Amino acid sequence: MADALPWVISRERESSRPFVEVLHDWIVTVDHKRLGLMYFTYGILFLVIGGVEASIMRAQLAVANNHLISPQTFNRMFTMHGTTMIFFAAMPIVFGFANYFVPLMIGARDMAFPRLNAWGFWMSALGGIVLYFSFIGGFGLYGAGEAPDVGWFAYAPLTSSAFSVGHSTDYWIVGLLISGFGSIATALNVMTTILCMRCPGMKLSRMPLLVWMNSVMAALVLVAIGPLTAAQLMLLVDRYLGGHFFDTQAGGSAVIWMHFFWIFGHPEVYILVLPAFAIVSEVIPVFSRKPIFGYSIMVAATVSIGFISLSVWAHHLFTIGMTSYVNTFFVASTAVIAVPTGIKIFNWVATMWGGKIIFKVAMMFCIAFLCQFLIAGLTGIMLAMAPFDWQLGNSYFVVAHFHYVILGAIVFAVFAGTYYWYPKVTGRMLNETLGRWHFWLFLIGFHLTFDFMHIPGLLGMPRRIYTYEASRGWEFWNLIVSSGVVFQILGVLMWVINVVRSYFKGDIAGGDPWDAWTLEWSTGSPPPEYNYAEIPVVRSRRPLWDLKHPEDPDWKYE
Amino acid sequence: MYFQPRRVTLGKIISTWIGLEGIAIAETGGTRTGPYMFSPASTPAHWIYHLALFVVALCLGIFLIVFSLIAYSAIKYRKRPTDDAREPPQIYGSNQVELAWTVIPILIVVVLFLAAARVIHAIQDARFPPNAIEVTAIGHQFWWEFRYPGYGFTTANELHVPVSEPGHSIPTHITLLSADTDHSFWVPQLAGKTDLIPNRQNETWIEPHEVGHYVGQCAQYCGTQHAKMLLNVMVDSPGDFQKWVQQQKSPAVVSDRVAAGRKEFEENACANCHTITGTTANGKFGPDLTHLMSRTTIAAGAVQNNEKNLLLWVTEPGAIKPGCLMPAMQLDQQNVKDVVAYLMSLQ
């Protein structure tokens, strides 16, 4: 049946051209696929940098009263780790997926605004470079530090010029400001592309779930980045123009910063996790050999998560002394988000139910994602109960919780996505054996680190401390937590080896190695620059199913 | 308001098992345990503890059910080598099933919400009896100032409160302020954390039921030495507490034996930051030292309060707390000894 499809198998060999010419092509490109890859690669680069910073912290905390690094260095490490991972690893990676696959999946030849797309990428890239330049340029005053050390949410007044001398905080502000502009450009572009560039027949109700979820992600970026940008500008005014927005010594408000930051910060979690849901929603059906269970309610759940996520930010602020009524409201709004999220988990499981599940590495990562996201959601419910949060908030329990979301869910989904789409992007398969090594090593490392990280939190260990006394009973657990890092590094190393090796030696993929159903599998691997020689016409949510099963097409039932 | 605690056997088991509580007791030789929220010893901490047990049990139940579903479907519906090449039945959804797993979570959320709302109201809207002890806690980089406005004295880093006994409830109401950046007051066995935010007044309260030494620490990142901004709360019997109050209210001990150290203290910048009542030293930037030797630790709990540590602390504060705001005054060795001798006279 596959032979009947109009495959265009082509694999340009870049290596036959001079390096400078190839580099020039990549730098000036406006092709959504290349920009997607650049976003992704850029994100992975920063993922590694952020991982190194995390490893340094875990080495310091492995034993009590450790003197491996100074408190100043430790504080810089967690600030840079958090900022890097959220803004310069996770966001570029999910943008990379959106850039590459949204146009392909809706049968478009590019994004709506290709040049804006390139601009967005380069702004994000510049932001990361500005942030890291602080290691060199942050020495505004002697002893003022290199990298910023104010924490990734940079609570006032620690960021005021009284407490943060030198320029490290300025690099942090400007880096995020610039990358924020890039994010807004990309979100605008994704949104416009989805609204205006769909191929004939691709009604909103027929879009793949990946596209739906990325459209909600884009909407959230448009709403959420604004408050952050505003707050950063106000902070710059405070630091350089004598403003007093957050200057508590002159009547400013530290609490206002907290609200501004988390009005951005909580939707940001969903900005990152919705694209992870998006990947899982594509991979699980294909490897279960069934369509997604309850497409409409999945879309409804996604959109409602988008709305609800805008009304929960102050659950980060249960300890700042809001009134009991405000706290109660945010308990309710936060707990309610469990409903659409739960629906999603149930629908993914129902998609597997009754299928013929093929345990390729991509699917294994998705099943691990399901279990880990379940746990992340449940610890999230514990944290949503404000009184419980008064004990758990700002402890290692909350650190374990959000790493469960970001690593256990988002990074696992991203890995699943790479195994699933690598053949499409490069034309070659990733090696399954290496992939299994990657999966198990990373899984063991993840659980060693983040399962046991909940415990010191329950035992009263606050986050962001560079050392602790042995007498508090935290040492044993911290040692286990740190030991998991080794496995995680090995796992990621397997992945990197696999990605590089398979590019040259992997099996030839062909256009549709997974016998999948969405449009991107109907063009060549890698897709030609114009994506589709002829703009496709679709009649259902699974256009390739219709092609492969003309006797039993989807459009009869939708 | 007094809350008679049920015997918290489960909590004790949990914290003994995961907290290595035994080690903590053995090392200090006292009644001190680690900062474990599952060994509550005060009314708000008890209420939170019971809510926590309920929420954890519920989440554990949900986890077991959903995890079993995932595992079952992954194992049962895996593709077997004997399977034919046909695709499985294509199921697009089911309104009944989807309605069920929308409504059931909503009901669970309502239950959780009511349980949490009850505890929020009980803790945040509590009324205090007139005999409640009033304390103002002020967060500094990187130490705690405790003022007792009812008694008119100030101390640092070690909070003393009376135990609350059945029939004679004495809660302690704590007003939380900050002198510089954000901090958070967290002694898990006594209450959940509440932040100390500059230019804002927060409050919390505790009502401990057992005499003892409870530990905690700053839980909101406040700068370089956030890690060593430790909290020690001494819960005294009512008699001991009154004795302690009387001692704190008295002016500093004056002894000619340590006149050299006192002169050194008052003529150097020490006096600009520290207060010793009854002397010319009345600085407010650092901890009040009037009764320094009544405290068991120095540098906000970083080290034990003894001659060796005091000598090191006055000579080179950065050796104990690198990045703390107390400067090394570059006194010569004899002067340091004199100053420490003076400090050690401040009973």
Side-chain angles (χ1 to χ4, degrees), chain B:
Chain B
M1 122 170 321
Y2 184 80
F3 173 82
Q4 182 64 47
R6 271 184 278 162
R7 289 172 59 187
V8 285
T9 40
L10 182 58
K12 288 274 191 239
I13 293 167
I14 295 172
S15 48
T16 310
W17 179 66
I18 60 177
L20 312 172
E21 203 170 6
I23 292 178
I25 293 168
E27 285 197 0
T28 57
T31 49
R32 174 185 155 179
T33 56
Y36 308 146
M37 65 188 77
F38 286 100
S39 314
S42 151
T43 304
H46 268 290
W47 289 341
I48 296 174
Y49 165 74
H50 287 289
L51 175 70
L53 283 191
F54 172 67
V55 176
V56 170
L58 195 70
C59 288
L60 206 61
I62 297 172
F63 171 75
L64 288 177
I65 293 169
V66 181
F67 179 77
S68 312
L69 278 175
I70 297 171
Y72 177 81
S73 57
I75 295 166
K76 173 86 194 299
Y77 298 107
R78 70 188 188 279
K79 186 180 167 66
R80 295 173 171 85
T82 51
D83 283 353
D84 54 27
R86 272 187 307 179
E87 300 281 19
Q90 302 293 299
I91 312 291
Y92 299 90
S94 154
N95 287 339
Q96 292 87 340
V97 177
E98 285 160 42
L99 192 67
W101 63 51
T102 309
V103 173
I104 295 170
I106 289 177
L107 295 178
I108 295 174
V109 162
V110 170
V111 172
L112 282 169
F113 166 72
L114 292 175
R118 188 169 150 263
V119 179
I120 293 174
H121 175 70
I123 293 178
Q124 283 201 278
D125 303 332
R127 291 166 179 276
F128 300 97
N131 67 336
I133 307 289
E134 281 290 335
V135 179
T136 302
I138 303 168
H140 294 258
Q141 283 182 324
F142 305 95
W143 59 281
W144 304 90
E145 178 180 349
F146 296 118
R147 294 185 187 164
Y148 289 73
Y151 300 114
F153 65 83
T154 300
T155 180
N157 295 327
E158 286 174 16
L159 177 66
H160 282 253
V161 298
V163 71
S164 191
E165 290 170 327
H168 184 66
S169 166
I170 317 177
T172 300
H173 178 255
I174 308 171
T175 303
L176 301 167
L177 305 171
S178 168
D180 37 47
T181 63
D182 305 324
H183 306 275
S184 193
F185 184 94
W186 189 28
V187 185
Q189 287 181 279
L190 301 182
K193 63 180 74 61
T194 309
D195 294 356
L196 301 87
I197 297 168
N199 204 11
R200 181 182 175 92
Q201 181 173 327
N202 279 340
E203 56 180 347
T204 186
W205 61 279
I206 56 177
E207 195 202 9
H209 311 302
E210 290 166 46
V211 171
H213 174 183
Y214 300 92
V215 293
Q217 66 192 87
C218 177
Q220 183 64 268
Y221 177 62
C222 56
T224 311
Q225 272 298 344
H226 166 57
K228 290 192 179 167
M229 186 166 165
L230 308 180
L231 260 167
N232 288 287
V233 179
M234 314 301 182
V235 175
D236 302 330
S237 68
D240 284 352
F241 180 71
Q242 281 312 322
K243 248 187 273 172
W244 179 79
V245 167
Q246 290 313 319
Q247 190 245 351
Q248 295 291 315
K249 280 165 82 171
S250 59
V253 178
V254 181
S255 158
D256 286 343
R257 203 164 44 78
V258 291
R262 179 176 170 181
K263 183 164 171 287
E264 203 62 42
F265 189 94
E266 287 172 5
E267 287 180 356
N268 269 292
C270 311
N272 295 344
C273 292
H274 294 284
T275 293
I276 296 174
T277 45
T279 74
T280 55
N282 60 1
K284 300 278 181 234
F285 194 68
D288 186 305
L289 301 179
T290 309
H291 299 286
L292 174 66
M293 296 318 286
S294 71
R295 307 204 278 263
T296 59
T297 58
I298 57 167
V303 286
Q304 294 298 310
N305 185 6
N306 56 33
E307 187 175 11
K308 179 173 145 269
N309 287 332
L310 280 169
L311 282 170
L312 180 60
W313 180 245
V314 175
T315 313
E316 179 55 63
I320 291 172
K321 273 174 93 164
C324 73
L325 300 188
M326 172 152 151
M329 294 309 299
Q330 314 297 340
L331 303 176
D332 64 36
Q333 231 175 356
Q334 186 53 46
N335 288 344
V336 171
K337 275 187 186 158
D338 290 344
V339 168
V340 169
Y342 172 55
L343 292 177
M344 291 192 70
S345 75
L346 299 171
Q347 298 291 336

Side-chain angles (χ1 to χ4, degrees), chain A residues 500-552:
Chain A
V500 174
R501 184 182 166 279
S502 301
Y503 185 79
F504 301 102
K505 292 191 176 166
D507 299 337
I508 300 294
D512 181 18
W514 310 120
D515 192 8
W517 304 309
T518 40
L519 277 180
E520 80 272 26
W521 303 102
S522 71
T523 185
S525 301
E529 198 164 341
Y530 44 83
N531 292 351
Y532 299 101
E534 263 181 65
I535 293 295
V537 178
V538 299
R539 298 180 70 182
S540 79
R541 289 170 199 149
R542 296 193 296 170
L544 269 66
W545 172 276
D546 295 350
L547 271 176
K548 295 167 186 174
H549 301 273
E551 76 293 348
D552 184 31

Side-chain angles (χ1 to χ4, degrees), chain A residues 188-365:
Chain A
L188 199 70
N189 212 345
V190 169
M191 198 54 131
T192 314
T193 308
I194 294 171
L195 289 177
C196 305
M197 306 284 283
R198 281 166 289 136
C199 67
M202 180 71 76
K203 298 195 289 190
L204 285 179
S205 59
R206 287 180 189 161
M207 289 196 311
L209 280 180
L210 180 137
V211 180
W212 260 112
M213 292 178 182
N214 275 295
S215 73
V216 176
M217 177 275 277
L220 282 178
V221 171
L222 288 179
V223 180
I225 298 284
L228 178 69
T229 306
Q232 306 275 29
L233 284 171
M234 286 188 270
L235 187 54
L236 274 183
V237 169
D238 270 12
R239 285 177 65 86
Y240 286 101
L241 304 178
H244 302 299
F245 293 107
F246 311 119
D247 178 3
T248 47
Q249 291 171 338
S253 169
V255 172
I256 293 282
W257 170 272
M258 298 175 184
H259 282 292
F260 265 108
F261 189 88
W262 288 113
I263 284 172
F264 150 78
H266 202 82
E268 172 72 11
V269 177
Y270 290 91
I271 289 170
L272 301 179
V273 86
L274 281 172
F277 292 171
I279 294 169
V280 172
S281 302
E282 296 303 322
V283 176
I284 287 184
V286 168
F287 290 100
S288 305
R289 308 310 303 158
K290 279 177 64 203
I292 190 83
F293 189 91
Y295 174 92
S296 318
I297 198 171
M298 282 297 256
V299 173
T302 306
V303 175
S304 51
I305 284 176
F307 280 109
I308 300 170
S309 75
L310 295 171
S311 68
V312 301
W313 78 89
H315 67 218
H316 295 266
L317 308 175
F318 281 145
T319 63
I320 68 162
M322 299 184 296
T323 66
S324 58
Y325 304 102
V326 178
N327 281 336
T328 309
F329 170 82
F330 282 100
V331 169
S333 66
T334 306
V336 160
I337 213 161
V339 176
T341 322
I343 289 172
K344 280 184 186 294
I345 292 186
F346 287 125
N347 278 13
W348 287 319
V349 178
T351 306
M352 289 158 58
W353 196 277
K356 286 184 180 172
I357 302 167
I358 304 165
F359 279 88
K360 295 287 184 189
V361 176
M363 187 63 182
M364 290 159 68
F365 272 107

